[in-house]
Amino acid sequence: MENIREQEELEMISEKVKVMFDGHEYEVPKGMSVLEAARYIHIDIPSLCYLKDINEIGACRVCVVEIEGARTLQASCVYPVREGLKIRTNSERVLRARKTAVTLLLSNHHRECLTCIRNLNCELQNVADTLGIRDIPYTGEMYDYGFHRNNHAIQRDYNKCINCRRCMAICNKIQECNVYSPINRGLDTVIAPAFKKDLSEVICITCGQCVIACPTASLTEKESIGDVWAVLSDPKKYVVAQTAPSIQVTLGEEFRMPVGTLVRGKLVASLRRLGFDKVFATDVTADLTIMEEASELLDRVMNHPDHMPLLSSCCPGWVKFAEHFYPEFLPNLSSTKSPHEMCGALTKTWYAKKYGIKPADIVNVAIMPCTAKKYEAARPEMTSDGFRNVDYVLTTRELARMIRQAGIDFINLPDETYDEPFDQFSGAGTIFGTTGGLFEAALRTAHYLYTGEEMPVPDYEDTRGQRGLKYGKVTIGDKTLSIAVAHGTGNAKKALEAHKEGKKKIDYMEVMACPGGCVGGGGQPILGGRDHKKISLDYRHNRADSLFNIDRGSKIRRSHENERIKQIYDEFLEGPLSEVSKKYLHTSFIPRGKFPYLKTDE
């Protein structure tokens, strides 16, 4: 169905209609909305509630235009183009209406712009500036809806909500968690969880897609910057940073570099200048995750077929989704910890002993693309020998703020390399950061572990790309496995339901909660403002392409070829699925149910 829809969209784009924009004739693809058609020909129509293919409801009225023959102004995001349509995007009437709509929003908005986390990257602020709003003549009661911050990963400031419903759309349509809905009526309306409960009390999986979608600072990550500055200033602490694979192709966007630019060397250099004692690559323990999960897959195929399918578990948002909605599948989840938790565990055990450092003095700071990693780091299961594996999680955005606070000229930094022993990794560990990457990496190693031979071609193109749900079959020796790759928990739900109903057999499934995988994580740069193509969330493939290019150019492309992984097994872990590995690299899961507010799980 996905391929059919893509073909239909291509056919639609190839068929053009002639329309008039502001007195000039253009050819635009048939079936587009007026808003998309305008952007197609580089005419800027502002909007606030619109997200392409996700939230097209015409609620904010900021994108209104004049249509010849129509009595009233029309919301361009929901008005389709047709042959001969005449549109005015910048008439006095249109500009006055837009200015009034935004001014009314601002009249009840807590305008703390100078101290706001989204200052200079706020869509409401940018639209107000574009429209030339210099004063707010409307006065009235300024509501105080409260501030919710009990969730480990996401905080909610209702006073900055403009009721655009983007968070609701992405949570309901893409993630299918249905956390948000409108509450009350008129001026009292807020978009909130049921009974306006805190996000820690509902089935929020902390993926952060609502944060990415939010045009203001109504939804933001829970910052850990102050805590990290404090430990960096403590001479008694040995502070290490670890960076997730996708950060190297997304951090540059925070400094106006093109989407997908590789900045690995500058990333390492910036962390050293912030004061970290060591900088490690989480890509190394992504290789370790592959070794454990590929071994677990083969063990289930050969010895425990009743425990199939094997479901990946490196994504904490997906794990929490399964714990809430599919507790019957928890025995199917791989018990391997995620790469950053493995890195934290090894840092405070093997590394601490090897280099003579007290585990109590080590502070592990994970630089992650994901708000859910904050939640994962706080889970009580994520400890080793009495110590938390990861002490603090910083999103890509938080790290960028620290770099700016320190006055570091990121673009002109020299390229530096990671510190031993978490410094060498394979291309397989790098593609962990995009949808399909985990499966492809696991397939390379599983094939070798089972047959003793390498795959002739390490690339598996069938699971690449941004389609939300992909199926396929792979052959490993004499075994043929039915596989699925899903990104966005709504797609994971479709796959699990199809499997339960017997419509689709699955032996192994990779799931990433965020659309696009980690490259689209809830902690990644928010590319909003005036770049509407990026607002529409269409940019993730650029980041993914960069990761696959890194893999393609790597000397080592298979996790089992990584000498650092061999060293860790030889010196400490003994081997995949050994008792030591199970103690430090594996975990368990908790059935939470669909109504967590009846029993607290935080």
Side-chain angles (χ1 to χ4, degrees), residues 273-286:
R273 281 152 183 76
L274 288 174
F276 287 92
D277 295 291
K278 295 293 178 182
V279 183
F280 297 152
T282 316
D283 309 49
V284 178
T285 40

Side-chain angles (χ1 to χ4, degrees), residues 134-262:
R134 299 292 178 257
D135 59 77
I136 301 168
Y138 309 113
T139 58
E141 184 177 357
M142 182 72 74
Y143 286 82
D144 187 351
Y145 295 107
F147 193 91
H148 290 188
R149 65 178 82 216
N150 291 332
N151 186 287
H152 286 294
I154 299 170
Q155 54 192 24
R156 176 73 154 145
D157 185 351
Y158 287 98
N159 296 317
K160 295 178 180 176
C161 178
I162 59 172
N163 291 338
C164 69
R165 290 167 168 76
R166 282 190 189 177
C167 59
M168 184 175 78
I170 205 160
C171 189
N172 296 0
K173 295 179 182 179
I174 306 301
Q175 303 301 69
E176 296 194 24
C177 294
N178 299 290
V179 169
Y180 301 103
S181 62
I183 295 177
N184 303 325
R185 293 184 177 184
L187 288 175
D188 293 325
T189 302
V190 291
I191 311 301
F195 310 111
K196 205 181 174 188
K197 287 187 170 291
D198 190 273
L199 288 171
S200 63
E201 300 176 295
V202 295
I203 52 173
C204 173
I205 62 172
T206 69
C207 67
Q209 288 304 298
C210 57
V211 175
I212 291 284
C214 183
T216 66
S218 184
L219 283 158
T220 61
E221 69 273 23
K222 197 169 185 178
E223 277 195 320
S224 299
I225 291 176
D227 294 323
V228 174
W229 278 127
V231 295
L232 286 171
S233 301
D234 188 343
K236 296 178 182 179
K237 295 300 182 182
Y238 186 88
V239 190
V240 302
Q242 55 161 309
T243 68
S246 65
I247 308 298
Q248 61 191 309
V249 298
T250 61
L251 180 61
E253 297 162 23
E254 286 280 349
F255 301 94
R256 300 185 181 278
M257 300 174 81
V259 175
T261 301
L262 175 61

